[in-house]
Amino acid sequence: MDTFRQFVDTNARWFRGHLPESDATLDAAEESLGVSLPQHIRWLLRDYGYWHATGISSLDETVSNTQAAREHLNLPARFIVLYDHQDGGVILLDTIADAETGQNKVYNSGWESVPDEIEDEIVYASYLDYVQDVLDREREFIAAEDVEYDPARYHST
């Protein structure tokens, strides 16, 4: 098992959530954006869905926010928006793996830095590094009783 899957499995209660994706929805998003999602992100969204530590708002928002950023900010096609924090900035994924590490960098950037100055912002060497940071921050304020996903609370099964 690779390091990313081991980390997610070890912290499953922070990742296992609602609305898991299917191969069909993931394929459709890739087609709409003209990129390939990293396999570990496909696995996470398909097998775990969205929850506290996923660090992705939703696949639908990723597609629409990425298309808008490409149109209005000239976001290069290799990047996708994982999370739009509005005035708080944006989380971008480079869908082309780094030649040296083989990992996909994640950028935590102000919208005003897109696209030319994202390297000057917070750069995670990998999606794993990013979700580790997300999990650390979530642990600080989510009450223990709210960590586990409860389908009854979200009207999903």
Side-chain angles (χ1 to χ4, degrees):
M1 178 180 308
D2 70 30
T3 306
F4 179 77
R5 287 184 184 211
Q6 184 176 8
F7 178 78
V8 171
D9 287 344
T10 300
N11 296 285
R13 62 193 298 235
W14 291 92
F15 287 93
R16 190 170 310 285
H18 55 68
L19 306 172
E21 298 294 344
S22 66
D23 283 325
T25 60
L26 292 161
D27 291 345
E30 288 179 334
E31 186 175 330
S32 292
L33 296 174
V35 299
S36 293
L37 297 171
Q39 288 302 308
H40 55 281
I41 293 177
R42 286 182 63 98
W43 167 78
L44 178 65
L45 296 179
R46 185 185 58 241
D47 291 10
Y48 280 79
Y50 301 91
W51 202 232
H52 301 301
T54 308
I56 301 172
S57 54
S58 76
L59 199 56
D60 288 342
E61 287 183 23
T62 289
V63 170
S64 62
N65 290 336
T66 299
Q67 290 171 334
R70 287 176 179 173
E71 179 182 343
H72 300 290
L73 299 174
N74 296 317
L75 180 69
R78 66 188 284 164
F79 293 100
I80 61 170
V81 175
L82 295 182
Y83 211 105
D84 178 1
H85 291 287
Q86 305 294 322
D87 291 340
V90 61
I91 305 297
L92 300 170
L93 173 76
D94 188 342
T95 62
I96 297 176
D98 182 90
E100 292 180 25
T101 67
Q103 299 295 315
N104 299 85
K105 290 182 182 179
V106 176
Y107 299 82
N108 183 344
S109 175
W111 276 112
E112 67 278 0
S113 296
V114 175
D116 298 325
E117 298 171 351
I118 63 171
E119 290 285 345
D120 298 335
E121 302 278 351
I122 298 169
V123 181
Y124 298 95
S126 68
Y127 182 66
L128 172 59
D129 290 347
Y130 166 61
V131 297
Q132 286 172 327
D133 187 56
V134 171
L135 178 55
D136 287 345
R137 285 184 281 116
E138 295 292 299
R139 282 184 169 138
E140 291 178 13
F141 70 89
I142 294 180
E145 64 270 14
D146 293 329
V147 172
E148 300 284 340
Y149 170 65
D150 178 1
R153 292 179 67 188
Y154 292 90
H155 308 291
S156 60
T157 54

